[in-house]
Amino acid sequence: MDNIQKFLRKLSPKQQNILYEILSDIISDDIDKYDVKKLTNETDMYRVRVGQIRILFRKTLQWNILVNVDFRGSVYKK
């Protein structure tokens, strides 16, 4: 979670508020209103697209686990 907080600190306050709302929706599994796509070659990994920012999360039976939040080109690198 430290990498996610570090990334969010770099953004403007307006962008931070938008992403905090989206992140809380992802954690509470209220993702119907977002552009969610299952990642290929992964069994339980999904991404949400917000402009140039991508949010990766792992879907489990009980809840969703945030994996990474970063700009489009950097988020998929391990």
Side-chain angles (χ1 to χ4, degrees):
M1 191 63 119
D2 186 41
N3 289 337
I4 295 172
Q5 291 174 346
K6 188 176 178 182
F7 175 76
L8 290 174
R9 275 190 250 126
K10 295 178 185 178
L11 301 175
S12 70
K14 182 179 177 182
Q15 289 176 318
Q16 287 178 5
N17 289 335
I18 292 169
L19 282 177
Y20 280 129
E21 181 180 330
I22 294 170
L23 292 175
S24 71
D25 285 345
I26 290 171
I27 291 170
S28 65
D29 202 26
D30 183 23
I31 56 175
D32 296 334
K33 56 188 169 188
Y34 300 111
D35 180 20
V36 179
K37 184 175 180 182
K38 187 176 184 311
L39 296 180
T40 57
N41 298 329
E42 297 287 339
T43 57
D44 58 352
M45 288 285 289
Y46 294 82
R47 70 107 172 105
V48 174
R49 189 173 66 173
V50 184
Q52 293 292 320
I53 297 172
R54 302 295 186 265
I55 303 167
L56 298 181
F57 65 96
R58 188 172 304 277
K59 196 170 193 131
T60 64
L61 293 176
Q62 289 99 3
W63 54 77
N64 296 331
I65 302 168
L66 295 175
V67 175
N68 196 4
V69 178
D70 210 337
F71 288 109
R72 182 173 65 114
S74 306
V75 74
Y76 302 109
K77 296 177 184 174
K78 293 185 178 184

